[in-house]
Amino acid sequence: MASVRLPGLVDVHVHLREPGATHKEDFESGTRAALAGGFTIVVAMPNTLPPLIDDDSLCQAEEAGAAKAVCDFGIHLGASSHNTATAYMLAERVVGLKFYLDATFGSLLLADLGDIREHFARWPKDRPILCHAEDRNLATVLLCAHLENRGVHIVHVCRQSEIECIRDAKMRGMSVTCEVAPHHLYLSHDDIHRIGPGRSEVRPRLQAPADVAALWDNMDVVDCIATDHAPHLLSEKDGSNPPPGFPGLETSLPLMLTAVHAGRLTLDDLIDKMAHQPRRIFGLPEQADTWIEVDVDAEWVVPEQGVTRCGWTPFAGMPVRGRVERVYLRGQNVFHDGFFHVEPGYGRNVRQPVS
Ligand code: NCD
Ligand code: ZN
């Protein structure tokens, strides 16, 4: 049994469902799942109800996080056609500005090129812009970022054409970074039948095996692994209008450690993509006296249910390697062999100075 000390992991892409859909997850259940998965900072996405696009909605998420989070957290603001003139005023309180160029769960969608350009022009250059921009939409945001002479981060890249476009943009010196979700590295079209049609719904959709292979082949182009933890209840996934999304906080480290055992990346690559790079790209603070202890060799089979409130995972039954044994957050042993020793509210907002 090899227990290894790793830095606390950072996930810049989680859906904590608060405000508005706490039957799926909330700041407490989601950050508990984060600790169980080895994450000590998570950044929540703005496609909530209401979406996080103004002071009122952002206050709701900030208050929920402050009261309930058990690991440190940040919040991304949503870019919409209604806040092109005001979003930048909230930049200090959030981690990044999220653009939805493709339709997904929730109402946020940025369809108009003029709105996209205005958000690119106004958002502070030293603050991240994150884009859900699939296929041809990727070319749109790369051009817009280039015209403003600023960086852009592309979320959940999943196609060969996309990762190759980002690779070539980087080769031309463009300031672009990207993340890939473990489910796009492990699942393809071929798994839809086994998982079931409703449960397999995710945005971006599962792709062809050749796309999965291209992501692995271009791991050096991938800056971050982000879970895109998107919990929905099984009753919703198996219903008539299944919402897209998979939980991911508890399976991502084991899946990536399984890849380390298979020789597909090194442990140092994993630490870079799951801790150092997300911290650097998103300007997240170092956390003093914070680390995780992981039995990197442990072999186990993903159970049907984890800590997340959604109660299922598309990886149930999959053999994986690596188990999170202990998590230390700011000196406190908050997670120990499956048990939590932390009160709601212990987690800090990384954008709120401690008073
Ligand atoms: C996400 C969700 O459920 O909020 N769903 C998903 O399939 N990934 C939204 C998103 O990230 O696109
Ligand atoms: Zn997402």
Side-chain angles (χ1 to χ4, degrees):
M1 185 164 84
S3 198
V4 173
R5 185 189 276 215
L6 305 180
L9 305 179
V10 177
D11 188 356
V12 295
H13 191 149
V14 303
H15 300 270
L16 297 180
R17 306 300 188 210
E18 205 163 358
T22 53
H23 64 289
K24 299 174 195 270
E25 199 79 288
D26 69 6
F27 265 90
E28 183 177 351
S29 62
T31 53
R32 283 163 73 96
L35 288 180
F39 295 93
T40 55
I41 297 182
V42 293
V43 189
M45 284 292 169
N47 62 331
T48 48
L49 203 69
L52 310 183
I53 56 169
D54 54 20
D55 177 58
D56 263 13
S57 48
L58 182 57
C59 278
Q60 290 182 50
E62 285 171 338
E63 283 166 17
K68 296 185 180 177
V70 295
C71 73
D72 292 348
F73 67 96
I75 298 169
H76 294 306
L77 190 71
S80 86
S81 56
H82 303 293
N83 67 359
T84 47
T86 52
Y88 75 93
M89 295 179 210
L90 300 169
E92 295 289 309
R93 287 161 57 188
V94 299
V95 172
L97 182 65
K98 172 77 183 281
F99 291 36
Y100 291 88
L101 274 81
D102 291 279
T104 184
F105 184 67
S107 60
L108 285 173
L109 185 66
L110 209 49
D112 181 81
L113 181 60
D115 290 340
I116 295 169
R117 290 206 65 190
E118 194 167 347
H119 275 298
F120 264 108
R122 288 187 182 236
W123 193 250
K125 280 212 170 49
D126 59 347
R127 297 280 174 151
I129 286 179
L130 308 77
C131 295
H132 176 172
E134 298 181 43
D135 201 66
R136 286 176 292 177
N137 284 332
L138 172 59
T140 300
V141 296
L142 288 179
L143 177 66
C144 291
H146 186 66
L147 294 177
E148 291 300 331
N149 195 22
R150 61 154 299 145
V152 63
H153 177 83
I154 312 299
V155 303
H156 43 46
V157 174
C158 64
R159 292 175 181 82
Q160 176 168 11
S161 55
E162 295 166 355
I163 196 70
E164 289 181 355
C165 185
I166 292 168
R167 178 196 65 198
D168 293 351
K170 285 184 175 192
M171 272 174 11
R172 297 293 176 97
M174 287 176 69
S175 180
V176 52
T177 54
C178 71
E179 70 189 41
V180 166
H183 53 260
H184 288 128
L185 290 167
Y186 275 89
L187 302 174
S188 74
H189 289 161
D190 293 356
D191 296 288
I192 294 176
H193 182 70
R194 177 179 58 79
I195 297 171
R199 297 187 190 192
S200 307
E201 285 289 348
V202 66
R203 298 293 176 276
R205 289 188 167 80
L206 298 180
Q207 302 296 319
D211 292 296
V212 174
L215 295 179
W216 285 111
D217 286 346
N218 287 284
M219 246 327 153
D220 56 330
V221 182
V222 176
D223 300 278
C224 310
I225 299 294
T227 67
D228 190 15
H229 177 79
H232 298 285
L233 301 188
L234 264 189
S235 54
E236 298 166 332
K237 298 291 285 180
D238 290 341
S240 56
N241 189 18
F246 300 153
L249 281 166
E250 294 162 79
T251 45
S252 290
L253 175 62
L255 287 170
M256 297 315 293
L257 281 170
T258 304
V260 170
H261 279 281
R264 301 179 107 168
L265 78 166
T266 67
L267 186 57
D268 281 345
D269 292 337
L270 181 154
I271 296 167
D272 244 19
K273 294 180 201 305
M274 298 186 79
H276 299 327
Q277 298 272 52
R279 224 180 263 282
R280 180 185 63 75
I281 293 168
F282 290 85
L284 301 171
E286 292 298 328
Q287 298 166 288
D289 300 321
T290 296
W291 69 89
I292 65 176
E293 291 171 10
V294 182
D295 177 348
V296 292
D297 292 330
E299 296 183 53
W300 54 289
V301 173
V302 177
E304 300 279 339
Q305 287 197 26
V307 173
T308 168
R309 185 165 290 160
C310 75
W312 77 287
T313 161
F315 296 107
M318 189 179 280
V320 290
R321 306 290 297 270
R323 185 192 298 281
V324 178
E325 296 177 315
R326 283 175 285 277
V327 178
Y328 289 83
L329 176 56
R330 282 179 275 106
Q332 186 168 322
N333 179 201
V334 290
F335 178 79
H336 194 136
D337 290 337
F339 292 95
F340 297 90
H341 305 284
V342 58
E343 292 301 316
Y346 184 69
R348 286 187 190 156
N349 185 334
V350 295
R351 289 291 182 257
Q352 273 169 359
V354 184
S355 50

